[in-house]
Amino acid sequence: MKAQLFLYPNSTGDTRVTFEADTHPGVTYSRLKREPYIAATQIEEALNQSRGTEVLAFWDECLGTFPWKALERFSESLDDIWHPGPILTGSAEPDLLRYVHPLWVYRPDPNANLAGAVNWKVDLRTAFLRAGVLRKLGGLDGGFETLPGAARELGFRWLMRGAVCRQQPSLLQNRPAHIERVPLVDRYRLVHLYYGARWTRYILMRRILGAHPLRELHAWRNGCAGSPGIGKALTGVAHRPLDVMPLPEKVKISVVLPTYGRYKYVAEVLDDLRSQTIKPFQVVVADGNPASERQPELYRKYADLPLEVIWVDQEGICISRNECLRRVTGDYVLFLDDDSRVDDQNLESHLRVLTTYGADVSVGPAYTHKRPELHPQQQAIACTFMDCGTTLCRHSILQEIGGFDMQFNEHLAGEDGELGMRMVRAGALMLNNPFAKRFHYLAPVGGARSSRNNLHRWRRWSFLPRPVQSIHYMARRHFEEAAAWDAVLQNWILVGWRRADGQPASFSWKARTLMAELAGIPLSLIRLARSLNFSREMLKEGPQIPSLNPTTNKRDRVEQQEGELTAIISA
């Protein structure tokens, strides 16, 4: 391993680290400057002078003994960044991203003691970086005022462009004596670089009425000025070759496929599964059609598939998926929608991403007739949110966190996103996989669109909750209260501006929508109140997440049988 060690600019006169570096072959060291624009040049020059450098290590001598063994483990890992996480960075900073993406799963800090959790909030007092990724995605942005601010932007940029950033609390043996905060001006600069002047003005308007309006105005003005930043890297520039690492042998993939009112489409899905290059180990179909409309003869045509059909009498996507998950026996679980088409390498593409990146979840994005190209953010392998259209995950992570929250069974908005939040909170690495994309029919009948409560049947002039009550429920379950209110506010406003897939945002459409929204404000306020009332009832009831742990389920069955036996004896 060839590494470059940068000592953080907190001179202590302690020569232990430099002495140890001299005894490790392949490790060179230098002292980092405190000014970000000088530090950025230092790092770039060090890489240019030694093209064979594999790892960049950053260390503050005030933190004690350098973790040489951890550096070796990092060099052998599949990750791109290691750092201690909230133990070093703290968590009492104003989070301006809350105003932009209140429900972004990677915005809050993960559990400080959770090793391997995805965390982009890098602190250069202790950090290991992959040199090859830095050459592709860029180093420090010298336009920031402080090193902590520049380090946060580097971590954010790397995460968004496909790097694997994990926290490893064990890098520090002791908690630091102080926390180096990111100043407000650098936080404004981060938002300005990635979301533009409109969002920074919006944040300023929200915050300027606080305790320090002049400080807020000064930070906003300076944060939005200066250099334009590192610039955008080409899409996919950080992609790893997916055909190098061997796939696991005798892989067992169980497919979860709920369906309702879509026999024409589900037959095409089964055809796609039949032609996969990696054959599914198990295909569990939850058929929720009424008894009078069921077509069991359809499934008999697919006797060559390891098909198990469950007839579900209760309506709802969550109950159907949970019924499937209770019967899953494979090592991996593929979630698949019944109105989607996938190519014959879909399962293999998912599995290659999980293997190459050491990931836990591979999410395939969707394209449609009116939107034949993937969204730019979906064209790269990078951390993402959960979508059950075509997604492969390790069965073990589901056994750890449980199935779908039944609170979403009737209020269809975010049931898969909430499952993904629990996965990420548990330390799972969830990646968007453009090589496992699906074609989404957006079938006009059946499925979730048959429910009167779902978003697909939203109407401006109705008394249905706006936004759907599960938005506030999910926000309060997983985020701070302020973020929950921001999420409700954004969804309450933006739901009225939804466009059909592929519909242009013309001036006439904007004018008509604005007039209708203004006229409908009284009704919208009533619907908002209904949404909050319903969500509070959901919060009182609490989550209804079925356990998928075999040990727990077995114990529950035994207790149920004992209870039934006791009742019989008593009778």
Side-chain angles (χ1 to χ4, degrees), residues 35-113:
E35 297 79 6
Y37 68 94
I38 300 179
T41 303
Q42 277 184 282
I43 296 172
E44 184 177 354
E45 290 177 350
L47 288 179
N48 292 335
Q49 292 172 4
S50 180
R51 303 299 297 179
T53 299
E54 304 170 39
V55 175
L56 299 179
F58 298 84
W59 184 255
D60 185 347
E61 295 159 293
C62 297
L63 299 176
T65 305
F66 185 84
W68 293 104
K69 291 184 179 179
L71 182 63
E72 294 176 2
R73 292 198 305 270
F74 171 75
S75 68
E76 297 169 357
S77 74
L78 297 175
D79 304 327
D80 300 311
I81 293 181
W82 277 8
H83 62 100
I87 292 178
L88 187 61
T89 59
S91 57
E93 298 174 336
D95 185 3
L96 302 190
L97 289 176
R98 187 202 91 199
Y99 300 96
V100 184
H101 289 308
L103 299 188
W104 187 41
V105 67
Y106 304 104
R107 180 184 58 79
D109 290 322
N111 186 316
N113 297 317

Side-chain angles (χ1 to χ4, degrees), residues 203-413:
I203 295 171
L204 177 66
M205 287 190 297
R206 291 283 305 275
R207 291 175 56 86
I208 200 168
L209 298 179
H212 303 284
L214 293 180
R215 186 186 67 177
E216 200 76 33
L217 184 62
H218 180 267
W220 169 77
R221 183 185 296 114
N222 291 342
C224 298
S227 61
I230 296 294
K232 292 185 178 180
L234 296 175
T235 300
V237 69
H239 283 180
R240 306 175 187 179
L242 299 180
D243 55 354
V244 174
M245 297 187 66
L247 295 177
E249 297 181 358
K250 298 180 180 179
V251 61
K252 296 181 179 180
I253 299 178
S254 296
V255 180
V256 169
L257 177 59
T259 185
Y260 180 87
R262 293 174 177 170
Y263 281 119
K264 169 188 173 183
Y265 298 101
V266 80
E268 295 180 346
V269 176
L270 294 174
D271 288 334
D272 293 340
L273 291 174
R274 176 185 273 166
S275 63
Q276 291 296 304
T277 55
I278 293 181
K279 303 301 180 183
F281 170 75
Q282 180 187 28
V283 180
V284 187
V285 178
D287 191 318
N289 289 284
S292 60
E293 300 176 10
R294 292 172 180 169
Q295 300 180 19
E297 64 276 6
L298 170 71
Y299 302 114
R300 299 191 191 105
K301 300 177 183 178
Y302 297 92
D304 54 319
L305 286 175
L307 195 61
E308 301 177 27
V309 180
I310 309 168
W311 303 105
V312 182
D313 295 322
Q314 185 176 346
E315 181 182 343
I317 189 67
C318 291
I319 193 170
S320 295
R321 286 182 177 144
N322 285 336
E323 287 298 320
C324 291
L325 289 174
R326 289 189 179 96
R327 291 162 173 78
V328 161
T329 57
D331 301 320
Y332 299 87
V333 176
L334 178 76
F335 293 103
L336 199 56
D337 273 357
D338 62 352
D339 64 341
S340 298
R341 298 299 304 272
V342 296
D343 62 30
D344 58 1
Q345 294 185 337
N346 187 263
L347 269 66
E348 181 178 344
S349 298
H350 278 305
L351 198 61
R352 288 196 179 280
V353 164
L354 295 189
T355 304
T356 302
Y357 286 81
D360 303 287
V361 187
S362 170
V363 181
Y367 65 99
T368 66
H369 275 303
K370 295 182 179 180
R371 183 172 47 83
E373 299 294 332
L374 295 178
H375 188 278
Q377 293 182 352
Q378 295 178 316
Q379 294 174 7
I381 299 175
C383 287
T384 187
F385 55 88
M386 181 71 170
D387 174 30
C388 287
T390 168
T391 291
L392 184 70
C393 67
R394 300 183 190 275
H395 190 192
S396 57
I397 191 70
L398 290 168
Q399 291 176 323
E400 179 181 348
I401 68 170
F404 290 85
D405 188 345
M406 287 296 294
Q407 288 282 16
F408 292 85
N409 197 53
E410 296 181 2
H411 314 297
L412 290 172

Side-chain angles (χ1 to χ4, degrees), residues 96 99-100 187-207 216 219-221 223-224:
L96 302 190
Y99 300 96
V100 184
R187 294 183 173 277
Y188 268 109
R189 176 170 172 79
L190 176 65
V191 176
H192 181 74
L193 286 176
Y194 290 93
Y195 300 101
R198 291 183 179 179
W199 275 109
T200 56
R201 287 195 294 268
Y202 168 74
I203 295 171
L204 177 66
M205 287 190 297
R206 291 283 305 275
R207 291 175 56 86
E216 200 76 33
W220 169 77
R221 183 185 296 114
C224 298

